[in-house]
Amino acid sequence: MINAVIIDDEPAGVSNLSNQLGLHCQGIKVVGTAEDIESGLTLINKPKRKIDVAFLDINLPDGLVFSLIDQIKNIDFEIIFVTAYDKFAIRACEYSSIGYITKPIDADDLISAVNRIPKGRKYSNIKEKLEVFKGHYNPNPFRKIGISSMQEVQFVPITDIIRLEADDNMTHFWIVDGRRITASKTLKHYDNLLTPFNFFKVHQSHLINLNYIKSYVRNEGGYLLMEDGKSVEISRRRRPLFLEKLRQLQETFVSES
């Protein structure tokens, strides 16, 4: 049995989430609810109460839920954020690999979030995940990303990523220190996350950090030589977009010089 608490200031929201958990997520028991930071802290710190997962609304009447989280000495449970549509919150969850569901709650999304709860109370890097989340929740972007594999989540500075390569439903990351990290998500997922950070998809299978281009070779259809020595093909369809991106970057560089 997985013990859950819900912290949300909307009674209808608490009731709906409790009912949906009962209908769609067997093995989860709601052992307590709270409506604000103060009562939530009391709920979580209650002696002898075993909590496996906390469903937390981000915006509470007395402040952001981070104020509650910062007061918990030992976070030994999973966190799933519950929020109305908020592009910063959703993007922050994607970067940090923290589970989330949006209001109104979709049953499939709820089941997916619950299925991510580690078995055997092995809560992976929850404090580090929260730090990454808080950094990205601010519109001024944080500079790390959580790369999620089947075994763990590794946190890597975005500026240390040279390139990514698709491998069916997985993605290989090449890092400046020579590591290759394999993530259990598609290249499309990371394309959406990293494009704002000067990454460009030059091929269906390749996403590159433009800062690590060593040279652009025009012959043989056109390819890139990256700083790690790898040659990366540019697809014919993507080549005009890539050349336009290079032109924009050159103009930006000249204007800032």
Side-chain angles (χ1 to χ4, degrees):
M1 182 65 67
I2 295 174
N3 291 335
V5 296
I6 302 172
I7 301 176
D8 190 330
D9 65 315
E10 298 179 0
V14 173
S15 177
N16 180 46
L17 178 54
S18 298
N19 290 337
Q20 294 230 41
L21 286 170
L23 285 172
H24 304 294
C25 303
Q26 294 183 355
I28 287 194
K29 178 182 179 181
V30 178
V31 297
T33 65
E35 61 183 15
D36 54 27
I37 292 171
E38 183 178 357
S39 61
L41 194 60
T42 300
L43 172 66
I44 289 174
N45 288 334
K46 190 171 182 179
K48 298 182 180 180
R49 169 162 285 164
K50 174 180 172 286
I51 298 173
D52 296 298
V53 60
F55 292 88
L56 306 178
D57 192 356
I58 293 176
N59 294 287
L60 297 172
D62 46 353
L64 293 176
V65 75
F66 308 125
S67 298
L68 182 155
I69 292 170
D70 289 341
Q71 295 179 68
I72 302 173
K73 292 182 179 179
N74 182 30
I75 303 177
D76 60 350
F77 51 85
E78 275 297 295
I79 288 174
I80 295 176
F81 285 120
V82 184
T83 181
Y85 182 79
D86 179 333
K87 66 178 181 180
F88 294 120
I90 292 172
R91 183 169 288 266
C93 286
E94 296 286 359
Y95 275 108
S96 60
S97 294
I98 287 181
Y100 70 92
I101 48 178
T102 57
K103 301 177 182 179
I105 296 172
D106 177 83
D108 290 337
D109 291 342
L110 177 61
I111 293 168
S112 177
V114 168
N115 285 341
R116 294 176 61 181
I117 299 173
K119 303 299 186 290
R121 294 179 62 81
K122 295 179 181 178
Y123 305 110
S124 55
N125 307 61
I126 189 63
K127 287 190 175 181
E128 193 168 6
K129 286 181 181 181
L130 286 167
E131 286 302 312
V132 173
F133 178 92
K134 286 189 286 185
H136 281 290
Y137 185 65
N138 188 312
N140 296 316
F142 195 61
R143 296 298 178 182
K144 275 192 176 183
I145 187 171
I147 302 174
S148 179
S149 68
M150 297 299 292
Q151 293 80 27
E152 62 181 345
V153 180
Q154 296 189 50
F155 294 90
V156 175
I158 292 172
T159 53
D160 286 356
I161 300 169
I162 298 175
R163 55 190 175 85
L164 298 79
E165 183 175 350
D167 184 1
D168 291 329
N169 291 324
M170 299 184 297
T171 302
H172 301 301
F173 284 71
W174 273 265
I175 314 300
V176 292
D177 61 9
R179 286 181 296 159
R180 189 187 81 169
I181 302 174
T182 300
S184 53
K185 292 184 178 180
T186 64
L187 185 67
K188 181 179 179 180
H189 171 83
Y190 293 108
D191 183 16
N192 294 333
L193 291 179
L194 293 173
T195 293
F197 295 91
N198 230 20
F199 282 72
F200 190 88
K201 191 174 183 181
V202 295
H203 188 278
Q204 183 178 357
S205 300
H206 296 283
L207 180 67
I208 64 155
N209 186 338
L210 294 166
N211 294 294
Y212 288 100
I213 297 175
K214 188 173 182 180
S215 62
Y216 166 49
V217 182
R218 291 190 175 93
N219 61 350
E220 300 179 9
Y223 65 91
L224 300 172
L225 183 62
M226 304 299 293
E227 292 285 352
D228 64 349
K230 172 70 174 182
S231 296
V232 178
E233 179 186 356
I234 306 173
S235 72
R236 180 172 298 179
R237 184 175 64 87
R238 300 289 295 175
R239 193 177 306 133
L241 296 172
F242 171 72
L243 293 175
E244 174 61 20
K245 182 66 175 179
L246 282 186
R247 185 188 65 78
Q248 292 173 1
L249 290 174
Q250 289 173 337
E251 288 182 355
T252 300
F253 175 76
V254 171
S255 65
E256 292 179 352
S257 298

